Amino acid sequence: MKIDLTGTTAGEINKALVQGRRAIGTPAVGMVLTLVLVTDEENAYDALKSANDASREHPSRTLVVIKRVSRSPRDRTSSRLDAEVRVGADAGTGETVVLRLYGEVSEHADSVVLPLLLPDAPVVVWWPVNAPLDPAKDPLGALAQRRVTDTYAAEQPVRELSARAEAYTPGDTDLSWTRITPWRSMLAAALDQVVCEVKAVEVEGEEFNPSCELLAMWLADRLDVPVKRSLSAGPGLTGVRMDTSCGPIVLDRADGALATLAIEGQPARAVALKRRDTAELIAEELRRLDPDDTYASALRYGVERLNSGAEAAAPEPVAEAGAEAAKAPAKKAAAKKAPAKKAATK
């Protein structure tokens, strides 16, 4: 069931929600949280579809906030709120309200959203694109217990990770971090099978992929060993190699679906490690509403520290070879001068 409201208010939207629940025969509110989805018109459809799919595991009231761009100065000074209320089959297992904000009201989205939040229920804010640099200080982010961003959608994902580390507040999380949960589980399980010391790690994946950087930072932070970041054609993460005192442990995924885990002294085995869609990622994030300390620790390790550590470990042999090469011409010149000196003494 859909109810369209033009030039409306938060009070009228609440009345429409009650009316819709009664019309489909479910007057009680059975949602467990409020999911506020902040996006633009271009990405609204895909993001809302993912939220509706995730609501089958987490019934929620989904508020989609779309700030419409005003084309003329007159439109910028006027304010209007349009809403589309969806209940029943059109809203997954919860309720959906699509809010389109025009003019000055778009600068006060928190005032529109606040009366529509479920009472005594947690609030999660998700920015599929164009997330603020400091989500906790954003007016909408300040209403939430959890704030979900996605650095993969940023123009400069690796630089965005540094900004996220500087502005981190407990409750922040990133779908680029959620994407590597199966990798972290598989690598931890592999290390549990051996009694060895990890000496070095190599993480292979496509360039400008924040999930690859986060996995490398997590391994460097937890294992306290040098971690090398190497590039591949993708898709996404393609492999991790851990050099241990008992031999290498390799987790390789070339096709984005099926991976091979090889541990020294054991037969190689195939493991399912498919690339997950956004609905699965959001559903995973909604399972926990407490701060993710592991993510915070890996994020604060820093991309700069990771790269500087890899560079510091590699150039030493090259520098020594360069020094020897630089000394070689001097030695040859000295050898040529030696006979001349002997002749002069005679």
Side-chain angles (χ1 to χ4, degrees):
M1 179 179 180
K2 295 182 181 180
I3 303 173
D4 290 323
L5 302 171
T6 303
T8 188
T9 63
E12 292 179 358
I13 294 172
N14 271 319
K15 291 179 182 178
L17 286 168
V18 175
Q19 176 187 345
R21 287 198 300 268
R22 288 176 177 172
I24 64 174
T26 56
V29 178
M31 277 71 73
V32 298
L33 58 88
T34 303
L35 175 62
V36 182
L37 201 164
V38 188
T39 184
D40 53 21
E41 201 72 62
E42 180 183 359
N43 297 281
Y45 176 82
D46 292 335
L48 183 54
K49 184 178 183 303
S50 298
N52 285 342
D53 291 343
S55 73
R56 304 186 187 283
E57 182 177 342
H58 308 279
S60 59
R61 174 177 289 180
T62 303
L63 306 177
V64 185
V65 178
I66 303 174
K67 299 179 181 180
R68 297 299 299 266
V69 178
S70 301
R71 298 182 179 179
S72 66
R74 181 178 299 176
D75 291 338
R76 296 190 193 100
T77 57
S78 61
S79 297
R80 191 175 92 237
L81 171 62
D82 294 345
E84 181 182 328
V85 179
R86 305 179 185 180
V87 293
D90 293 315
T93 58
E95 301 171 340
T96 299
V97 181
V98 181
L99 303 167
R100 290 183 170 86
L101 285 62
Y102 299 82
E104 292 183 352
V105 72
S106 63
E107 303 298 325
H108 306 281
D110 54 319
S111 300
V112 177
V113 167
L114 187 59
L116 302 176
L117 301 178
L118 289 172
D120 302 322
V123 179
V124 178
V125 179
W126 171 33
W127 292 270
V129 293
N130 302 324
L133 290 178
D134 192 345
K137 291 185 178 179
D138 183 84
L140 286 173
L143 301 174
Q145 285 76 43
R146 290 279 279 179
R147 295 163 294 276
V148 184
T149 59
D150 190 356
T151 52
Y152 188 77
E155 291 186 6
Q156 297 179 317
V158 178
R159 183 177 297 180
E160 192 86 0
L161 285 177
S162 300
R164 291 277 174 265
E166 293 178 3
Y168 176 81
T169 302
D172 293 353
T173 191
D174 190 339
L175 292 186
S176 295
W177 171 256
T178 316
R179 289 184 180 95
I180 63 173
T181 300
W183 284 83
R184 294 190 294 120
S185 301
M186 196 65 63
L187 292 171
L191 288 176
D192 284 342
Q193 299 179 37
V194 297
V195 183
C196 301
E197 179 185 355
V198 180
K199 297 180 178 179
V201 179
E202 180 179 2
V203 176
E204 183 185 69
E206 63 185 0
E207 191 174 9
F208 306 122
N209 188 307
S211 294
C212 301
E213 306 294 340
L214 282 168
L215 182 63
M217 289 190 289
W218 173 71
L219 288 166
D221 180 49
R222 290 293 163 179
L223 299 176
D224 193 23
V225 296
V227 177
K228 178 184 177 182
R229 171 76 167 89
S230 58
L231 302 181
S232 70
L237 271 163
T238 53
V240 175
R241 177 189 175 91
M242 296 187 290
D243 293 324
T244 74
S245 56
C246 303
I249 298 176
V250 181
L251 182 59
D252 181 70
R253 186 189 69 177
D255 60 358
L258 193 65
T260 302
L261 176 63
I263 301 176
E264 187 74 14
Q266 300 182 19
R269 69 199 76 172
V271 293
L273 208 60
K274 71 180 184 69
R275 291 166 62 84
R276 299 180 294 169
D277 58 25
T278 307
E280 292 181 75
L281 302 176
I282 285 294
E284 179 183 326
E285 283 301 330
L286 296 180
R287 291 185 196 123
R288 57 174 301 171
L289 298 177
D290 57 318
D292 191 340
D293 295 332
T294 306
Y295 165 68
S297 181
L299 186 66
R300 285 170 174 158
Y301 184 88
V303 178
E304 295 81 5
R305 182 179 172 189
L306 178 72
N307 294 335
S308 64
E311 291 172 1
E316 291 181 359
V318 179
E320 291 177 3
E324 291 298 326
K327 292 177 182 177
K331 290 180 179 179
K332 290 181 180 178
K336 290 180 179 178
K337 291 179 180 178
K341 290 182 178 178
K342 290 180 181 179
T345 54
K346 289 181 180 179

